[in-house]
Structures are given as C-alpha cells and as structure tokens.
Amino acid sequence: MGRRKSSNNNNINGIVLLDKRVGISSNGALQEVKRLLGAGKAGHTGSLDPLASGLLPICMGEATKISSFLLDTDKQYRVSIRLGVKTTTGDVEGDVVEKNSLESLCVDDIKLVLSRFVGKVSQVPPMYSALKQDGIRLYELARKGITVKRQPRDIFIRKLEYRHYRDGLLDLDVCCSKGTYIRTLAEDIGDALGCGAHVDTLYRTRVGAFDVSEAISFAELQTKKESGDVLCCLLPTENAILSWPVLTLTEDLVYYLKQGKPVHTPNSPSKGRVRLRNAQNVFFGIGEMLEDGRVAPRRMLH
C-alpha cells in the first residue's frame, strides 16, 4: 500500500492509521498526531475509550470529508471479558457492584450463549457514553449518580468468535456494525450466563478496509518526525474506500459535478456510492448513483 509524501505542512491531506495506546482519549490521541504533523485540520473516525487500544484512523485535511463514511463501516475487536463481576461502568474503571460464583460455568454454556448474540441484536446504550439527552452527555449524568431511560437500538454482530476461557477471563473476537457498545455486549453476555461481566481489555483490530497491522504507534511517529519522514506515514484519502466502484470522468463532467450538478456517465453502476476520478486518473470525490442513472456529487475534494 503506497504512502504519500507532502512538502507543505500547512496542506496535509491523507489518513494516519494510529495504534492508540491505553490511557489516552481518542481526542487526546488526535491532538497529539495533529501537533506532530503540523496539520491544520483533522478528525478521528470512531472513538475508542481511554482503556481501549488499537486502530484509530485519523483523517487529515481533505480526508476529513470522507471520515463519515469510515464511521459507517464495520469494526473488529479483540476483547477480554471478566465473568462473574459487574461494575458501574461495564469495564475495569468502574466500581464493583456485584460478584458471582463461576463454579458451574463451562465452555459449552458460554458457546451456546454466544450464538444468541450473532446477527441483529437490540442494545441499550450505556449511561457511561457520549450520547446526549436533553443536550447533556450521558456520562456527565452518570458521574452524578443519575440514571435516565435510554431507547434500545438495533446493531448487528457479524462475528462473535470464542477464543479462550480461563480463570474467569473470556477472550473473544468481535466484528460488529457501527454504534455497537462492546461494554454493553459484555454485560449482556454476562447477564445471559447468569453471572454478570465487564470488559477487562479491549483492542480494536479493524475499521472498514484498514487493519491494525498497518497502524503505527505514536512513539514510531515521533521517531519518523525526528528523521524527517513523518509525512510518509500518510495514506492517500482514497484508500479508505478502495472497495467502491470507480468512475473516470471527462473534464466537462468533472466541472458540472463540482458545481453540484448530477451528470450522466457511461458504464456506471445502477446504485450505491462510487469513487470519482478525472481524466488524469486523480481521485477528486465521492458520488452516489441516482435512480435515473445519473451520478450525484456527495463529497468533493480540492
């Protein structure tokens, strides 16, 4: 996968795949990377709690225009769940509120329960989340000891793979849709087993097309900065959506799209989103096919 260099730190465009460390918020990690690269504009694509680590794609400059499409993609995690213990937050940072024996629990019981959580699942968002109610973050209410009713939402668990169970720790691989709370999933699994549970460790391994094997740590970024190669860590913006069909357009059609006007294109897909390239084969935006066969501009890059 090619990396892209830039000679102008005031015009940095592309994606950094950060392997976020434990103990820092997603926004804190974003600010560190933004400062290190000297970027003027940046945004991350899907928060990781401070206790979680792993893949955090960070979009720079024009790449921020496609960040919402990364937010919509599936995510994959490796999670260790502590069975038999409930906490106030659903993870190790909370206070213990309940303990239960695991003597009668066996692997067959665990695998049977896990099978119930594959597919479409209804989840109630946790109180310790960034969702807002009446303009207030739920975690702000939770820290004051206030619990409010939350509406359940449908999420989709594409894979829930058993890896290991020993001494109360259950290791799983999870592939899920956007909006999935792994802490809630852990608690729901614990409740289904009748013993309670919370997240012990959480590591994100994949976001859409990006894998954590491609990611770089902040320490490695610092080393690249010192050697003058930090901008080589930027991936092209288009790499986030390489699985989408491509439309290559004439200069006239590019002009009309950039004016916000849908255009007719030959050999185009019947529906869905597409990558847009100009006659020089340069990626310049995202389009969406309309019912009448035209492609409409959705995000144009400069």
Side-chain angles (χ1 to χ4, degrees):
M1 187 178 289
R3 307 270 172 170
R4 184 170 63 184
K5 293 185 179 182
S6 171
S7 59
N8 184 356
N9 278 23
N10 294 319
N11 187 28
I12 295 174
N13 303 300
I15 301 169
V16 173
L17 301 183
L18 181 69
D19 191 350
K20 188 185 87 68
R21 65 184 183 272
V22 173
I24 187 172
S25 69
S26 292
N27 186 60
L30 165 67
Q31 296 305 323
E32 283 190 353
V33 173
K34 184 178 176 182
R35 173 184 55 79
L36 192 62
L37 272 69
K41 185 178 182 182
H44 61 72
T45 57
S47 294
L48 279 174
D49 291 338
L51 69 83
S53 59
L55 183 58
L56 182 68
I58 295 178
C59 296
M60 303 286 184
E62 288 293 284
T64 58
K65 293 180 179 178
I66 62 106
S67 60
S68 62
F69 300 102
L70 274 175
L71 285 170
D72 289 341
T73 60
D74 288 351
K75 315 293 190 298
Q76 292 188 30
Y77 300 89
R78 182 155 291 179
V79 57
S80 287
I81 298 173
R82 173 68 66 182
L83 299 179
V85 182
K86 283 188 172 186
T87 71
T88 53
T89 59
D91 56 38
V92 292
E93 293 186 335
D95 298 325
V96 174
V97 294
E98 185 179 315
K99 288 186 176 182
N100 296 291
S101 172
L102 301 175
E103 288 183 7
S104 62
L105 190 62
C106 67
V107 171
D108 287 340
D109 294 334
I110 293 172
K111 290 183 177 179
L112 179 61
V113 164
L114 292 179
S115 67
R116 302 175 192 166
F117 287 89
V118 178
K120 187 177 179 180
V121 178
S122 180
Q123 264 195 357
V124 177
M127 279 300 303
Y128 281 89
S129 68
L131 293 178
K132 288 184 177 181
Q133 184 153 317
D134 298 328
I136 303 174
R137 302 281 185 187
L138 289 181
Y139 65 75
E140 295 177 1
L141 297 173
R143 288 170 181 169
K144 297 176 181 178
I146 301 172
T147 300
V148 296
K149 186 176 181 180
R150 287 95 65 205
Q151 292 299 318
R153 350 190 259 188
D154 289 335
I155 52 102
F156 202 92
I157 305 296
R158 306 196 187 280
K159 180 180 76 171
L160 189 56
E161 189 174 288
Y162 171 90
R163 296 187 63 246
H164 189 255
Y165 174 66
R166 183 177 181 181
D167 298 330
L169 271 182
L170 172 62
D171 295 337
L172 304 174
D173 283 332
V174 183
C175 178
C176 55
S177 66
K178 69 170 184 176
T180 301
Y181 287 94
I182 302 298
R183 283 176 293 142
T184 299
L185 178 63
E187 290 181 310
D188 290 345
I189 290 171
D191 289 342
L193 288 167
C195 61
H198 68 269
V199 169
D200 188 73
T201 61
L202 182 62
Y203 185 64
R204 187 156 67 191
T205 58
R206 196 167 185 83
V207 177
F210 296 132
D211 191 271
V212 72
S213 62
E214 305 171 280
I216 188 169
S217 69
F218 189 73
E220 291 171 317
L221 278 173
Q222 287 179 309
T223 300
K224 293 284 188 182
K225 174 73 171 182
E226 292 166 3
S227 64
D229 293 330
V230 70
L231 296 184
C232 295
C233 298
L234 279 171
L235 291 174
T237 300
E238 190 179 7
N239 281 27
I241 52 174
L242 287 179
S243 62
W244 295 10
V246 179
L247 287 182
T248 302
L249 307 172
T250 64
E251 292 302 323
D252 286 344
L253 294 180
V254 170
Y255 172 80
Y256 286 115
L257 278 172
K258 288 189 173 182
Q259 298 301 311
K261 299 176 181 179
V263 299
H264 282 287
T265 59
N267 303 317
S268 59
S270 59
K271 61 180 179 179
R273 294 166 179 161
V274 293
R275 290 178 282 152
L276 303 175
R277 290 180 181 172
N278 62 21
Q280 291 74 44
N281 207 32
V282 175
F283 173 65
F284 71 91
I286 290 172
E288 186 167 3
M289 300 308 302
L290 303 178
E291 292 183 357
D292 62 6
R294 293 181 300 165
V295 59
R298 290 293 178 253
R299 291 289 188 278
M300 295 293 103
L301 277 63
H302 295 298

